[in-house]
Amino acid sequence: MSGAAAPPAIEVRDLRRVFRVRQGLFAPPREVVAVDGVSFRVPAGSVLGVVGESGCGKSTLARLILGLLPPSAGEVLVEGRRLAEMDRRARARLIQPVFQDPFASLNPRRRVRDIVAMPLVAQGDMPRAEIERRVAEVLERVGLSREQGDRFPAQLSGGQRQRVAIARALVLRPRVVVCDEPTSALDVSVQAQILNLLAELRRDLGLTYLFISHNLAVVEHVATEVAVMYLGRIVERAEAEALFAAPRHPYTRALLASVLTPEPGLGVPDVGLGDVMPDPANIPPGCRFHPRCPLAFARCPAEAPVPVATAAGIVECHLENTAAARAAA
Amino acid sequence: MSALLEVAGLHVRFGEVAAVRGASLVVARGETHCLVGESGCGKSVTALAVMGLLARGARRAAERLAFAGQDLRDLSDRAMSRLRGDRMAMIFQEPMTSLNPSYTIGSQMTEVLRRHRPGATRAQAVDRAVELLGRVGITAPGMRLGQYPHQLSGGLRQRVMIAMALMCEPELLIADEPTTALDVTVQAQILRLLAGLQRDLGLAILLITHDLGIVARVAHRVSVMYAGEVVESAPTAALFAAPRHPYTRGLLSCVPVPGKVRRDQPLGSIPGVVPRIPPGFAGCAFRDRCAHARAECSGDVPRRAAGPEHEFLCTLAPDWARAEPVAA
Ligand SMILES: Nc1ncnc2c1ncn2[C@@H]1O[C@H](COP(=O)(O)OP(=O)(O)O)[C@@H](O)[C@H]1O
Ligand SMILES: Nc1ncnc2c1ncn2[C@@H]1O[C@H](COP(=O)(O)OP(=O)(O)O)[C@@H](O)[C@H]1O
Ligand SMILES: [Mg+2]
Ligand SMILES: [Mg+2]
């Protein structure tokens, strides 16, 4: 990218985050490497879908990008700026979160209207009438009625609460929104409504999303690019259509195989991942996926694979290295 | 097919909420019956009504409620609790609702057997627990017996719940959204496990879910529930080949299918939310959300036959959908 071009909406360089956790009073602390050497760029106006199982570091990555958590190493730039160097109010105008459980993140004692107004009020310099106008506008935008604006979160359905969280995230007209499993707690029918809403908002408002899910099928509709995360690393990243048409990493294929499409007669597939669960406090040597990989061979436990560039992105797998070597020979 | 669980004309009311309104379904021995619908449609209340576990204040009435031919309607609480955990068992979305955090896995599993089989020795109960933990795919089962629920991952806890439910060799397992809170990878493993158990043990399963993707892969028969009513029921192949109720079709269009997504077009969805239905409500409860709603829909809604064992509750004619494929 040339120096004159606009900076990417999100840029992450060699990001790493380690947590020290104590299992007992006298046990020595263990290191949990939640995010381990992650780099990517998200161009303005596009959507990076981040997919992986629980515990692979998705939420930690989200919190690092939102500036809610300092990295152990590496850096995060949002529209070319270091969040650590910005004050909270400027940061809030730039980047906003939408979390999985709107119930936990919405104050139960406040009316919807006041919850959505909070970020504007916190800016400290907006006239009351302007705040009311902006709140009314954004509530309508996300499909909530005036009357729903007067209710409390407990009086709304799960999907309506997620609309409130989206309205609150958008009221400052941020450039970037980080959505951490925004539909994982919802029914499929409501999930579809929310995915459609997010896609429409991005198109109309020119937003950039980082969109996290544990289900590959869910990101397909919104993502322009997809990153597959495993134990803190991105093991495959590709332009969305290419990833769904030709997944390369064995883990990406397993994730895709676990999506149960409504096709009777196929049964539930054996996704081939075995029973060993990944543990970020105990990352296997070599390729960290090898204990669960149906295609692992001698090199996998011995040596960590390096990312290999593909036509549509990168893959971190020894099979790719061998394929590339074979092609070069 | 031989009926194990028969429910007909089931009604459950909580004060001014009619949660279940005349639901009927039959679970045959050795088959998986899926009860599918959005949150708030009355799936859990139906299951709890069968198990005799409804909250205080609930009013239950049924034309028929029978397990293995035995009428459950006027069974005493004691007789009902003898059946529960023995011949019929239930698992929930959140395993911690039925696991006690302050007891080990082993003591909770053996307790189930000893409650229902007073003659069983402690050693027999431990052996059975170890055997079942192994059967549900838990490694080092002997070691797990001494662990507490919080020491296990969500997927392992659900496996423990399944093992515990199987302690007394039940004929019927009711599983209420057992994989909704899990990763898709773990979900696939748990559903494979349930399918294997049902094949090997001849277990009948009533599986509750909101996801028609799951239904297609595991069910023999399906009942689609909306606002307390079973609005469509059919053998699985028939339901997916020709879904008739607009609600069933709406639910189907919401399931994201990799490779079939058009990025420039919205996903199929059902507008609005599941309504709360007061007692005495008349007409089709789906009509406010239905693209095909018309004047008749506020009157009596006929139950129509769409094929062998395939019924739906709608004013539309059985062949209405022929011209309209389900939106992808
Ligand atoms: N504040 C924290 N303290 C200690 N460990 C943490 C903390 N936050 C996350 N972790 C650990 O980091 C790993 C990644 O967690 P997370 O980012 O939440 O994953 P995901 O969102 O993919 O489920 C997990 O092992 C988790 O237990
Ligand atoms: N203990 C209860 N008291 C009052 N209403 C209840 C109770 N349990 C369930 N309901 C109501 O009954 C309806 C059906 O609930 P439920 O069976 O839990 O739905 P589902 O399992 O399909 O999501 C809902 O409107 C719910 O609010
Ligand atoms: Mg998370
Ligand atoms: Mg329920």
Side-chain angles (χ1 to χ4, degrees), chain B residues 45-116:
Chain B
V45 170
T46 300
L48 295 172
V50 168
M51 295 294 284
L53 289 174
L54 286 168
R56 241 172 241 292
R59 294 214 345 250
R60 181 186 82 180
E63 284 154 29
R64 184 158 174 77
L65 192 60
F67 175 78
Q70 182 180 18
D71 194 336
L72 300 181
R73 286 177 301 177
D74 31 42
L75 226 51
S76 70
D77 287 353
R78 273 196 58 196
M80 210 47 227
S81 73
R82 271 202 302 272
L83 266 182
R84 270 198 309 267
D86 185 359
R87 297 183 64 191
M88 49 203 250
M90 184 161 175
I91 60 176
F92 299 89
Q93 172 175 336
E94 178 39 72
M96 291 311 281
T97 50
S98 14
L99 286 172
N100 188 327
S102 36
Y103 291 91
T104 62
I105 305 300
S107 68
Q108 297 186 60
M109 289 187 73
T110 51
E111 154 66 18
V112 176
L113 190 76
R114 282 155 64 81
R115 187 167 60 229
H116 292 288

Side-chain angles (χ1 to χ4, degrees), chain A residues 19-21 32-34 52-61 63 69 180-181 212 280-281:
Chain A
F19 294 108
R20 276 172 198 285
V21 285
V32 173
V33 186
E53 292 161 293
S54 298
C56 74
K58 304 181 298 297
S59 295
T60 303
L61 177 64
R63 286 158 67 212
L69 195 68
D180 189 357
E181 309 232 24
I212 293 174

Side-chain angles (χ1 to χ4, degrees), chain B residues 14 17 19 38-45 55 276:
Chain B
F14 297 97
V17 176
E38 293 165 286
S39 290
C41 279
K43 307 181 298 295
S44 295
V45 170
R276 285 227 171 160

